[in-house]
Amino acid sequence: MKSRTLKLREAHKVGGSAAAFCSILWDHKAEHFVTSSSSDPSISVHDGLSPSSSPPTILRHHQDGVTALALTQDSSFLASGSIDHCVKLYKFPSGEFQTNITRFTLPIRVLAFNGSGSLLAAAGDDEGIKLINTIDGSIVRVLKGHKGPVTGLDFNPNGELLASLDSNGTVLCWELQSGTVSYTLKGVAPDTGFSTSVVNVLRWSPDGRILAVPGLRNDVVMYDRFTGEKLFALRGEHLESVCYITWAPNGKYIATSGLDKQVLLWDVDKKQDIDRQKFEERVCCMAWKPSSNALSVIDVRGRYGVWESLVPSSMVDPNVGVPDILPKRRNEILPFDEEMEEEVSPSFNDDVDVDDGDGDGDGDGESHQPSRKRIRRKAVIDDDDVDPDEDFYDEGRSVPGYRKKPHGGVRSGLPTRSVVVARSTKFKMQKPFQPGATPPEQGKRTFLCYNMLGCITTIEHEGNYRIETDFHDTGRGPRVSSMIDIYGFTMASINESGCVFANPSKGEKNMSVLMYRPFRSWASNSEWTMRFEGEEVKVVANGSGWVAAITSLNLLHIFSEGGLQKHVISLDGPVVTATGCGDQLAVVTHVSDCLPSNEQVMEFRVLNICKMTQQLKGRVALTPGSRLTWIGFSEEGSFSSFDSEGVLRVFTSQFGGSWIPVFSTTKVKKQEENYWVVGLNKTSLYCIACKYPELFPQVTPKPILSILDFSLPLASSDLGAESLENEFILKQLRLYETQRKVDDMAFAEVDTTALEDEAFDLEVSQDRCILRLISSCCSSDKFVRAGELMKLLSLEKSMRAAITLVTKLKLPFLAEKFCSILEEKLLEEANEANANHSQNSSRDVVKTKVQNSPAPVQTSENTEAILKASAPKPSATALVRKTKVSEGLKLGKEQIKRDETDDVKKSEVNKLNLIKNPVKNVNNEDKDKGLRKEANQQARPSSNPFLKSIA
């Protein structure tokens, strides 16, 4: 191989002997090319047809040297990054300035557009890679994980992945859909330090299957797109490290530039260099000229040139066999998942339209395996490890059938594309997970289970597993000895009675094993194990006297604590997760494939294991595009869920069964934290704050629980009282659920005294909150809203306090309105009380007649019916409200003497006359202190906050 020289032309001046990083780019029609230099704040747009005769267009918008350039695939927009920390956007080729699309705190090193031009990735010396929406300039995501300046970025052609490389030589491959790292290649490229003239770059092959990275042995190393495994290396005539890489359009050739001032051309299939050019200075950037057998180069002194006819005529032209991956329309910004579907489909069509006879390797059998791996990779979005036995989630085994050409060699085109897109949505179904578990890490202790009671941890060392069980409150649970795990358990569940473990099946011979370990037992050898043949345990749960395991055959197996197999139930779909609490078992399953908008469709069922009944059933509410990350029961037994967007929801019986979003991390989340949920109570969420970008806590040091108050995602109120509105809705929810429990217990003839007291305290607390809201409404002149709040007050004392409040605020018309509301409420309650009194009196009369009648020898059917109808039954409404017409009953006094109907009416008329003129009498106490109702109120202890005067 001969070494040749190439004459270069100056594009940018670099002063002295310093070296600068210079860039060169071609547009897609080869009509213009762009150059820049880190020592020059200007950008030059050259005429590609006659660069020597036509002066370039100069863009002067930066204040310092330009370090990065990027063109959209259709060459309609140009982006530039600079040492001045700014990223600017221009129209191309006119160079018309559009906007400062983003700004960093440190110099920018690299830019890259995705295939559609809808996203711009920008990075540099700052921590994090910004993904920017080029339409509105919003930051879609910030990807953090590198420990040094990021110098290399490249989007995979199908838009699923983004590869990044830092100055320390570490490669991270990001899944754009989830924003997580697919794999990490640590220290695989040279360490360039903080030099601005030497950068590490990496490039995807045109078909997106191979990632090329500069190696540590003056070579270029090729890595597999899906696993990050090293495929092969190109090692030849380079004497120093490779500093720049660019692929030929068809992916058959690759050009590399080294610190030894050489540019080598490689035949990728043969893995050998076929030509080279030697230069006076190091070439820092290269670009293939579109539709030509030519390579443009620029060195560290700002001089550029074109290497013509670099591929010998005896070899395949670099523009033959270019993969046909079309970008999405630029004026259409879709969510990540929809964008992935549109961009990935053409790559699937490329696999469909393979050439079976040209001998270039595209149509042989070897090309099928990478395609299969790509399909499997898309099937497992939230987990880097591909589960070969996850048939439901991995439909890739059937998809390769669509790779075949139709009979006669006619390509299927649009039908094939629609089939692939339809199937691609199925791949995104969320895999099963165990609540409170963290992913396994080699050599590190991980959580098999973590809840409000305790945790179960495991660690693998030299093929041996050791499991430890700990309780947060050592006085609450027994001391449990550690256990040697011979099965390799990956999931567990714990409660006060014991813990259950399970592992997935590993091959045909190793069956899935379920083990239960009780903490206390009257008999020895109380542990038991079950093995599953032909099915695999996916999720486990346990409760009071039962153990549950859900398998890959969508079967729910229920065992007793002693190991008796009690029930086997077929579920409606593949399981997502499950949890237990007391007698209740909650199971979440998939209902259908993931929607095209990337929304999971899930259903939950809450079963009572002891009674063999289904208590609740419904759809799982999720934030669009999110995943379910936790389910559980609150300390009060409310079923709850948490999704990947940080929204906690509690299921309530309101409106026939609804999810209430009681907490959202957007209200409280710190910029550098993610929250891992552990449990919740009536008013707070218990979680572990993980430093971004970590999603799971570490076992050591022991994680610290954070307690966050509930915060609903409310709209910004014109009252400026979001905290009061948040408190009002939460108290209203708690009161509703408490009253519902009172009704249920009363129907079952169970003592409800404790719950009634709790409901009364909630009413007092809610009224206090409503009064503060009324005050805010009066201050903001929202009088209609104040009237609505007045109607929501529960206690008569609170309503009188509201009248006093608005009177002192000198709002007589509002005081008059409040008086009319109170009068209507008292009349309504008086009528209700009279109706109840009449009904009770008639029942007493019937009961007395029946008791005084002589005992007959034979009871008639009519008498039995009367006895049955007249039997006293508790009224749930009366138990909760306690006939609010009498405040004495509300305060717990049950010794009120029964009055005749006329006396009740006379008493209510007298009370209504007392509030005829509230403005004059607001500061005067009622002279008629003989009313039994007021006397009973004074007998109540002073715990009622509304017995105090209003300040």
Side-chain angles (χ1 to χ4, degrees):
M1 180 183 64
K2 296 181 180 181
S3 175
R4 298 183 296 178
T5 59
L6 183 68
K7 185 177 180 179
L8 303 180
R9 183 181 294 111
E10 185 179 83
H12 300 272
K13 290 184 179 181
V14 178
S17 60
F21 181 80
C22 302
S23 304
I24 187 168
L25 294 175
W26 278 97
D27 67 4
H28 72 295
K29 295 181 179 179
E31 295 177 350
H32 300 86
F33 65 94
V34 191
T35 60
S36 67
S37 171
S38 61
S39 63
D40 186 358
S42 64
I43 302 170
S44 298
V45 181
H46 304 264
D47 188 338
L49 303 178
S50 55
S52 58
S53 59
S54 301
T57 301
I58 307 300
L59 310 179
R60 295 185 177 92
H61 296 277
H62 284 288
Q63 303 300 318
D64 210 334
V66 178
T67 54
L69 294 175
L71 268 173
T72 57
Q73 190 166 331
D74 61 359
S75 304
S76 58
F77 285 88
L78 170 70
S80 64
S82 171
I83 300 174
D84 64 6
H85 312 164
C86 291
V87 177
K88 300 181 184 293
L89 194 66
Y90 314 82
K91 282 189 177 180
F92 194 84
S94 66
E96 179 184 351
F97 176 75
Q98 295 296 297
T99 182
N100 286 315
I101 197 164
T102 192
R103 185 177 178 86
F104 286 69
T105 58
L106 294 173
I108 294 149
R109 298 285 198 104
V110 62
L111 301 172
F113 281 103
N114 68 343
S116 65
S118 59
L119 287 178
L120 173 65
D125 294 350
D126 277 39
E127 182 184 2
I129 303 167
K130 290 185 180 180
L131 298 182
I132 306 159
N133 185 324
T134 56
I135 297 299
D136 56 15
S138 62
I139 297 176
V140 180
R141 275 200 178 104
V142 178
L143 308 176
K144 294 185 178 181
H146 284 287
K147 304 301 182 183
V150 177
T151 60
L153 288 174
D154 199 21
F155 283 93
N156 189 276
N158 63 19
E160 290 181 346
L161 306 173
L162 172 68
S164 59
L165 174 60
D166 60 28
S167 60
N168 300 324
T170 297
V171 175
L172 296 181
C173 186
W174 304 87
E175 289 187 357
L176 295 180
Q177 183 181 26
S178 60
T180 58
V181 177
S182 175
Y183 55 82
T184 302
L185 306 175
K186 191 172 182 179
V188 297
D191 189 343
T192 60
F194 289 87
S195 172
T196 57
S197 63
V198 180
V199 298
N200 275 334
V201 299
L202 76 176
R203 290 290 180 266
W204 291 103
S205 60
D207 61 2
R209 298 180 181 181
I210 298 175
L211 179 63
V213 181
L216 300 175
R217 297 184 176 183
N218 308 333
D219 57 356
V220 178
V221 184
M222 306 296 180
Y223 295 93
D224 182 80
R225 167 194 170 189
F226 310 97
T227 63
E229 297 176 352
K230 180 179 177 181
L231 301 176
F232 58 90
L234 301 178
R235 187 176 300 116
E237 297 290 333
H238 276 303
L239 305 177
E240 295 183 53
S241 298
V242 172
C243 61
Y244 202 87
I245 301 169
T246 183
W247 288 85
N250 61 1
K252 295 187 178 297
Y253 310 102
I254 191 170
T256 59
S257 172
L259 300 180
D260 56 0
K261 303 177 183 179
Q262 290 189 103
V263 173
L264 270 62
L265 179 67
W266 302 81
D267 186 323
V268 178
D269 293 335
K270 296 180 180 180
K271 302 178 182 60
Q272 66 180 17
D273 50 346
I274 56 177
D275 204 351
R276 65 174 172 171
Q277 279 273 9
K278 200 166 183 69
F279 296 85
E280 295 179 359
E281 298 289 343
R282 172 169 46 87
V283 171
C284 54
C285 188
M286 302 179 291
W288 286 84
K289 186 176 181 180
S291 305
S292 301
N293 183 12
L295 180 71
S296 297
V297 298
I298 190 169
D299 65 14
V300 295
R301 305 295 297 174
R303 298 177 300 179
Y304 74 94
V306 179
W307 182 0
E308 300 283 353
S309 304
L310 71 163
V311 176
S313 58
S314 59
M315 304 182 70
V316 178
D317 188 271
N319 296 290
V320 174
V322 177
D324 185 22
I325 301 179
L326 299 176
K328 185 164 59 69
R329 294 188 302 273
R330 234 201 79 77
N331 61 349
E332 181 181 4
I333 296 294
L334 297 178
F336 271 32
D337 304 299
E338 295 179 10
E339 182 175 334
M340 299 313 156
E341 290 172 10
E342 290 201 18
E343 291 183 0
V344 79
S345 297
S347 66
F348 278 110
N349 284 337
D350 290 339
D351 294 338
V352 175
D353 302 332
V354 294
D355 189 349
D356 297 332
D358 60 1
D360 61 358
D362 294 338
D364 56 19
E366 295 181 357
S367 65
H368 290 252
Q369 186 62 27
S371 176
R372 186 190 305 267
K373 291 173 70 177
R374 177 172 65 252
I375 297 168
R376 291 173 63 85
R377 185 66 189 168
K378 188 168 179 60
V380 189
I381 293 171
D382 293 327
D383 192 343
D384 294 336
D385 298 326
V386 178
D387 187 352
D389 299 321
E390 200 83 33
D391 290 343
F392 183 86
Y393 304 94
D394 179 13
E395 297 289 339
R397 296 176 178 84
S398 61
V399 175
Y402 291 96
R403 294 169 54 88
K404 299 179 181 180
K405 289 184 179 181
H407 181 69
V410 179
R411 298 183 178 183
S412 56
L414 183 60
T416 305
R417 176 185 173 93
S418 62
V419 169
V420 173
V421 172
R423 285 182 171 268
S424 66
T425 60
K426 185 179 292 186
F427 302 155
K428 302 172 193 169
M429 292 178 66
Q430 183 175 349
K431 294 180 66 176
F433 71 93
Q434 188 71 34
T438 59
E441 296 185 52
Q442 187 72 21
K444 292 186 178 181
R445 187 174 294 277
T446 56
F447 289 113
L448 294 180
C449 176
Y450 193 110
N451 58 23
M452 297 291 287
L453 176 66
C455 63
I456 301 176
T457 60
T458 182
I459 188 171
E460 186 258 339
H461 180 65
E462 297 180 354
N464 298 318
Y465 295 85
R466 188 179 187 86
I467 291 178
E468 293 184 357
T469 303
D470 298 299
F471 292 91
H472 303 316
D473 183 359
T474 55
R476 184 177 177 183
R479 182 175 179 83
V480 182
S481 60
S482 61
M483 180 180 71
I484 300 299
D485 176 17
I486 63 174
Y487 299 104
F489 292 127
T490 60
M491 62 197 87
S493 178
I494 183 174
N495 66 1
E496 294 84 352
S497 303
C499 51
V500 58
F501 305 90
N503 68 340
S505 59
K506 299 178 180 179
E508 297 179 357
K509 296 182 179 179
N510 296 327
M511 293 182 290
S512 188
V513 177
L514 178 74
M515 171 186 282
Y516 180 69
R517 191 183 189 194
F519 295 143
R520 302 180 184 87
S521 178
W522 57 271
S524 60
N525 194 23
S526 53
E527 294 183 5
W528 52 266
T529 58
M530 297 286 172
R531 287 175 169 81
F532 294 85
E533 184 175 358
E535 54 185 327
E536 179 181 2
V537 177
K538 294 298 183 182
V539 181
V540 295
N542 61 334
S544 299
W546 57 268
V547 175
I550 307 173
T551 68
S552 55
L553 297 183
N554 303 340
L555 295 178
L556 169 60
H557 296 261
I558 299 176
F559 306 84
S560 68
E561 273 193 333
L564 176 65
Q565 302 191 52
K566 298 180 67 175
H567 309 285
V568 180
I569 303 171
S570 286
L571 301 177
D572 297 334
V575 66
V576 180
T577 188
T579 187
C581 177
D583 295 337
Q584 298 180 102
L585 168 64
V587 181
V588 178
T589 57
H590 285 289
V591 175
S592 68
D593 299 338
C594 186
L595 300 179
S597 58
N598 192 32
E599 295 183 54
Q600 301 286 328
V601 186
M602 301 177 184
E603 183 180 65
F604 75 90
R605 298 169 67 183
V606 177
L607 310 176
N608 189 303
I609 302 300
C610 295
K611 296 180 180 179
M612 293 184 291
T613 59
Q614 179 174 278
Q615 294 180 337
L616 299 172
K617 183 177 181 180
R619 292 289 178 90
V620 177
L622 292 173
T623 306
S626 67
R627 298 292 190 269
L628 184 66
T629 58
W630 179 87
I631 65 166
F633 291 91
S634 68
E635 293 181 352
E636 296 73 35
S638 298
F639 182 52
S640 311
S641 70
F642 190 80
D643 64 30
S644 58
E645 291 297 322
V647 179
L648 175 71
R649 296 175 175 87
V650 174
F651 191 81
T652 174
S653 55
Q654 288 182 346
F655 304 105
S658 304
W659 288 97
I660 307 298
V662 297
F663 177 83
S664 176
T665 55
T666 57
K667 299 288 185 180
V668 298
K669 185 176 180 180
K670 297 180 181 178
Q671 186 176 3
E672 300 297 327
E673 287 184 348
N674 289 317
Y675 296 116
W676 193 70
V677 175
V678 176
L680 68 153
N681 61 11
K682 295 179 181 178
T683 60
S684 304
L685 170 69
Y686 293 86
C687 61
I688 297 173
C690 304
K691 187 176 180 180
Y692 189 89
E694 298 295 333
L695 299 175
F696 303 97
Q698 300 294 325
V699 176
T700 53
K702 188 175 181 179
I704 300 175
L705 279 181
S706 299
I707 303 176
L708 305 175
D709 293 333
F710 287 166
S711 176
L712 286 84
L714 300 178
S716 298
S717 173
D718 52 3
L719 289 179
E722 287 86 353
S723 60
L724 284 176
E725 292 176 326
N726 181 79
E727 180 184 353
F728 165 68
I729 296 176
L730 291 176
K731 290 184 182 299
Q732 190 180 45
L733 174 63
R734 289 180 56 194
L735 179 60
Y736 177 87
E737 290 299 319
T738 304
Q739 290 176 341
R740 185 184 62 83
K741 290 180 181 178
V742 170
D743 289 344
D744 294 342
M745 294 174 65
F747 182 79
E749 299 184 359
V750 179
D751 181 33
T752 61
T753 304
L755 275 180
E756 289 175 43
D757 292 341
E758 181 181 349
F760 172 75
D761 292 338
L762 285 173
E763 285 184 334
V764 171
S765 179
Q766 180 178 266
D767 280 4
R768 183 189 306 166
C769 179
I770 292 175
L771 285 173
R772 294 201 298 268
L773 279 171
I774 290 175
S775 177
S776 298
C777 290
C778 294
S779 301
S780 303
D781 296 336
K782 305 295 182 183
F783 303 123
V784 174
R785 199 175 307 174
E788 294 171 344
L789 289 167
M790 176 68 175
K791 295 178 181 179
L792 296 177
L793 290 170
S794 301
L795 306 178
E796 180 184 339
K797 190 77 174 180
S798 302
M799 301 183 79
R800 293 184 182 278
I803 296 173
T804 303
L805 173 65
V806 298
T807 303
K808 288 186 175 182
L809 291 175
K810 298 181 180 180
L811 299 171
F813 67 95
L814 191 58
E816 185 177 352
K817 177 65 176 177
F818 280 12
C819 288
S820 64
I821 293 174
L822 175 59
E823 183 177 351
E824 291 174 2
K825 191 165 189 176
L826 290 176
L827 284 174
E828 180 182 349
E829 292 177 349
N831 293 332
E832 184 179 348
N834 292 335
N836 291 335
H837 179 75
S838 301
Q839 185 177 4
N840 293 333
S841 299
S842 62
R843 288 182 176 179
D844 292 341
V845 170
V846 173
K847 184 176 180 180
T848 303
K849 290 182 178 180
V850 173
Q851 290 177 347
N852 295 334
S853 61
V857 178
Q858 207 170 18
T859 305
S860 66
E861 294 181 359
N862 293 336
T863 305
E864 290 178 353
I866 293 174
L867 284 171
K868 187 175 181 180
S870 62
K873 293 184 180 179
S875 171
T877 304
L879 283 171
V880 177
R881 298 178 57 197
K882 293 190 173 183
T883 64
K884 291 184 181 178
V885 66
S886 174
E887 193 68 27
L889 288 178
K890 190 64 181 177
L891 297 174
K893 298 296 182 179
E894 300 178 354
Q895 67 272 17
I896 302 299
K897 185 188 294 184
R898 293 181 178 177
D899 294 329
E900 296 295 333
T901 304
D902 295 340
D903 293 339
V904 172
K905 291 182 179 180
K906 185 182 298 182
S907 175
E908 294 301 329
V909 170
N910 290 336
K911 289 181 66 179
L912 291 175
N913 290 333
L914 293 176
I915 60 173
K916 291 297 184 179
N917 196 346
V919 178
K920 293 182 179 180
N921 297 302
V922 68
N923 294 320
N924 298 325
E925 292 293 327
D926 197 328
K927 294 182 179 181
D928 189 6
K929 295 295 184 178
L931 291 174
R932 288 179 295 274
K933 187 169 185 177
E934 297 297 333
N936 289 328
Q937 286 182 357
Q938 298 299 327
R940 176 76 176 182
S942 61
S943 61
N944 188 343
F946 296 107
L947 294 179
K948 300 178 182 180
S949 60
I950 302 297

